[in-house]
Amino acid sequence: MRKDKAAPLVPTEIHVSTVRDEAGALCVLSIRTTEGLLDIALDRQAADAIISAIGSIRPKL
């Protein structure tokens, strides 16, 4: 089990784009951090999960 923790990636920019293929649309969430670029491909189910998580986190901020 890992004992040391990685430093958090601090977001400096966030961009969203959409790509389509024969399977449908995917959203690409690009987050530029202090450590580099992080690209995340999302389908509808993953996007819904993120929205739900943000709803849970928002009241605690």
Side-chain angles (χ1 to χ4, degrees), residues 7 17 41-43 51-52 55 58 61:
S17 59
L42 304 169
D43 62 4
I51 290 170
S52 176
R58 182 174 282 143
L61 296 175

Side-chain angles (χ1 to χ4, degrees), residues 17-28:
S17 59
T18 304
V19 294
R20 289 191 171 276
D21 66 6
E22 61 278 348
L26 281 178
C27 177
V28 178

Side-chain angles (χ1 to χ4, degrees), residues 6-22:
L9 298 176
V10 179
T12 57
E13 291 180 37
I14 297 176
H15 299 275
V16 176
S17 59
T18 304
V19 294
R20 289 191 171 276
D21 66 6
E22 61 278 348

Side-chain angles (χ1 to χ4, degrees), residues 1-48:
M1 182 179 266
R2 185 178 176 155
K3 294 187 187 238
D4 60 326
K5 292 185 178 179
L9 298 176
V10 179
T12 57
E13 291 180 37
I14 297 176
H15 299 275
V16 176
S17 59
T18 304
V19 294
R20 289 191 171 276
D21 66 6
E22 61 278 348
L26 281 178
C27 177
V28 178
L29 179 61
S30 298
I31 303 171
R32 182 164 305 280
T33 71
T34 52
E35 297 294 318
L37 189 62
L38 175 65
D39 287 327
I40 304 167
L42 304 169
D43 62 4
R44 175 79 182 214
Q45 187 176 7
D48 289 342

